[in-house]
Amino acid sequence: MLDAVDAVLVRELQRDGRATFQALADRVGLSRTAVRARVQNLLETEVVRVVGIVHAAVVGAEAIGHVSVTVEGSAREVAGAIAEHPAVSFTALTAGPYDLVAQVRTRDDTALAAEVDHIRSIPGVRAAEVFRSVSTVRDTHAVVRELGEVTLDDIDWRLLQELQRDGRAPYTRLANIIGLSQAATRARVVRLMRTGVIQVTGLADPLALGAAELGGFGLVVTGGLRKVAEAVAAQEGIRYLATGFGRYDIVGQAEAASRGELVEVLDAIRSVPGVTVRESWHHLDVVKESYAVELPERPLNGQ
């Protein structure tokens, strides 16, 4: 477990991965030097990873499927094989109605169907059921707001590539890569973040933050779906929530410090008018969590 100061620093990096050391120092009441040392330690020990998450609409990865898998034999081996595929952003071993769950992100439904067929072809997979996400209501690790009209040039694409690798890459290094001044580089990065093209955030080890328990749930709804989904997403402990089609009307993920608190999160969901928890499952081990996507290679002029 982190001490109180480190816990606040991680939360601030989740909110804004490029927050300056001075801004972080002001937040926790320590010197800039002390905060720099703490943040460097958090990054080096991988308590938190600061990455850039590109809006799905920018890279054409708006078809999202949540796949529930039952297996024969070793669930861990199957989960490992599923996690190797680039289109899979999340995989976890679970206790409940399924042996593991995975999230797949692709450009369209045809590509999504092909990815699910690939999962079904993996040795040991007995069955795979798909929930097709239509609208992401809450995601603590991605941009969920509507993306406006944005024009990106080759320099922007290069910046997105670098920020995916290291969300806290210094402006000096970014400026050297793209061949612009630090001021011009900063302006471009700020524009990319403010327009929602990319969100720079900290991916934290849940155990370090006291969120030792992760769980998923599938809901069916009576009444207006969007209104109910927003009410569920507003509950404490909700990490991810999406509406769509399939076995459920809503799929979500919750986190809590203990199993008892995870039960309380589920009870709070059940208290939302119009909600029935059709199924819930416990995440025993997260095998993969990655939000990086393949970006087109856009060489800069003269490179």
Side-chain angles (χ1 to χ4, degrees):
M1 285 287 293
L2 303 177
D3 66 21
V5 172
D6 280 349
V8 171
L9 290 174
V10 171
R11 293 296 188 191
E12 289 298 308
L13 290 172
Q14 288 180 311
R15 187 181 61 82
D16 178 6
R18 292 195 67 84
T20 66
F21 290 120
Q22 187 59 59
L24 294 172
D26 292 341
R27 178 67 178 83
V28 299
L30 294 179
S31 70
R32 185 175 180 275
T33 301
V35 165
R36 178 192 288 273
R38 281 178 174 263
V39 170
Q40 287 302 118
N41 182 64
L42 291 170
L43 295 172
E44 290 171 3
T45 56
E46 297 188 347
V47 169
V48 64
R49 294 180 293 122
V50 178
V51 299
I53 301 174
V54 181
H55 196 293
V58 174
V59 292
E62 296 181 276
I64 301 174
H66 301 267
V67 187
S68 303
V69 182
T70 53
V71 308
E72 296 176 333
S74 171
R76 185 171 293 280
E77 289 182 7
V78 172
I82 291 174
E84 289 177 359
H85 216 259
V88 175
S89 58
F90 180 88
T91 311
L93 299 170
T94 59
Y98 304 97
D99 299 306
L100 63 94
V101 295
Q103 184 184 79
V104 182
R105 294 171 179 258
T106 62
R107 65 183 180 277
D108 55 34
D109 284 336
T110 299
L112 180 59
E115 292 293 340
V116 174
D117 279 348
H118 169 76
I119 290 174
R120 292 192 175 107
S121 71
I122 293 174
V125 172
R126 178 186 296 172
E129 294 189 18
V130 184
F131 172 88
R132 169 61 165 92
S133 172
V134 173
S135 176
T136 301
V137 182
R138 177 174 175 79
D139 189 341
T140 57
H141 296 317
V143 183
V144 298
R145 71 175 186 264
E146 193 78 18
L147 187 67
E149 290 293 328
V150 179
T151 301
L152 303 177
D153 61 18
D154 292 349
I155 292 176
D156 292 326
W157 284 108
R158 179 61 69 86
L159 285 172
L160 294 178
Q161 288 176 332
E162 294 301 320
L163 291 171
Q164 273 202 146
R165 297 187 186 101
D166 180 5
R168 287 189 68 82
Y171 286 114
T172 52
R173 179 156 67 83
L174 294 175
N176 288 334
I177 290 171
I178 64 175
L180 296 180
S181 68
Q182 286 189 47
T185 301
R186 182 190 296 271
R188 281 184 175 256
V189 170
V190 169
R191 178 177 64 85
L192 291 172
M193 293 191 296
R194 285 183 176 170
T195 56
V197 170
I198 191 170
Q199 174 172 310
V200 180
T201 186
L203 301 182
D205 179 355
L207 291 175
L209 290 177
E213 304 295 337
L214 296 175
F217 52 86
L219 313 178
V220 292
V221 171
T222 56
L225 178 58
R226 184 72 189 189
K227 182 178 180 180
V228 171
E230 290 175 350
V232 174
Q235 299 297 313
E236 187 73 23
I238 301 300
R239 195 177 188 214
Y240 177 87
L241 196 86
T243 63
F245 302 107
R247 187 178 181 85
Y248 324 108
D249 298 314
I250 295 173
V251 158
Q253 188 180 111
E255 62 183 7
S258 66
R259 291 185 183 180
E261 290 187 18
L262 191 60
V263 171
E264 292 177 5
V265 174
L266 290 173
D267 281 348
I269 293 170
R270 291 187 180 96
S271 71
V272 175
V275 166
T276 299
V277 178
R278 171 165 284 179
E279 291 176 340
S280 62
W281 50 92
H282 187 214
H283 290 184
L284 301 174
D285 186 24
V286 175
V287 178
K288 178 182 181 180
E289 185 174 21
S290 173
Y291 296 90
V293 294
E294 292 186 11
L295 298 177
E297 289 295 332
R298 302 288 183 101
L300 301 179
N301 293 334
Q303 294 188 21

